[in-house]
């Protein structure tokens, strides 16, 4: 893609990756594997640092709610966002995700400080 040259800058020191996709587009399902590989696996981020968001457009077919993703994507936290029906749910999930990332950052900072001291 034409933005690939920017990826290293985007990835540098990142603590989390949120991948938003349209579950109704088969091409998106293939693309998220590539995004996961580049932005999560190659950066040695934990799966818990990645959040998948299946975004449903207004009036879209709801049968993608029971979306089954193949390995390794099926190990990731997957939320469905439908801002018409459930914006509050999505907000809560985002807050949970951000809290977990902050906890991870704080824990690794503490480990670094301890290793400097000892």
């Amino acid at each position: 893609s034409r933005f690939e040259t920017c990826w290293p800058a985007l990835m540098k020191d990142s603590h989390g990756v949120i991948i938003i996709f349209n579950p109704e587009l088969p091409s998106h399902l293939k693309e998220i594997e590539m995004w996961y590989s580049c932005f999560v696996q190659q950066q040695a981020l934990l799966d818990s640092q990645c959040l998948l968001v299946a975004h449903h457009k207004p009036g879209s077919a709801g049968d993608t709610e029971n979306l089954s993703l193949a390995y390794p994507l099926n190990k990731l936290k997957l939320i469905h966002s439908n801002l018409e029906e459930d914006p509050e749910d999505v907000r809560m999930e985002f807050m949970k995700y951000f809290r977990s990332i902050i906890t991870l950052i704080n824990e690794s900072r503490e480990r670094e400080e301890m290793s400097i001291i000892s």
Side-chain angles (χ1 to χ4, degrees):
S1 107
R2 59 194 164 158
F3 297 118
E4 263 175 71
T5 49
C6 308
W7 288 4
L10 284 174
M11 293 181 195
K12 189 180 178 326
D13 301 330
S14 63
H15 296 288
V17 176
I18 298 173
I19 300 173
I20 301 172
F21 65 100
N22 181 343
E24 289 167 49
L25 293 181
S27 63
H28 273 205
L29 299 180
K30 284 256 50 88
E31 275 173 40
I32 54 178
E33 285 179 30
M34 188 242 342
W35 291 109
Y36 171 73
S37 165
C38 292
F39 281 85
V40 182
Q41 287 178 314
Q42 288 174 32
Q43 289 218 90
L45 290 180
L46 302 169
D47 286 339
S48 60
Q49 287 168 277
C50 182
L51 177 66
L52 288 181
V53 182
H55 184 64
H56 301 267
K57 289 188 175 149
S60 62
D63 59 349
T64 44
E65 283 281 342
N66 39 30
L67 187 65
S68 59
L69 296 169
Y71 181 86
L73 299 173
N74 60 4
K75 302 181 299 174
L76 304 173
K77 171 90 177 137
L78 168 68
I79 66 170
H80 290 272
S81 78
N82 184 327
L83 299 181
E84 275 193 325
E85 288 173 24
D86 251 337
E88 196 49 37
D89 258 20
V90 176
R91 206 174 70 83
M92 291 300 295
E93 290 293 353
F94 268 101
M95 293 309 291
K96 261 194 278 183
Y97 170 71
F98 287 125
R99 267 190 221 115
S100 71
I101 296 293
I102 290 164
T103 304
L104 266 171
I105 295 168
N106 289 339
E107 283 170 0
S108 74
R109 194 167 289 150
E110 279 166 24
R111 272 197 304 275
E112 271 170 40
E113 286 166 6
M114 289 309 290
S115 68
I116 293 166
I117 294 165
S118 54

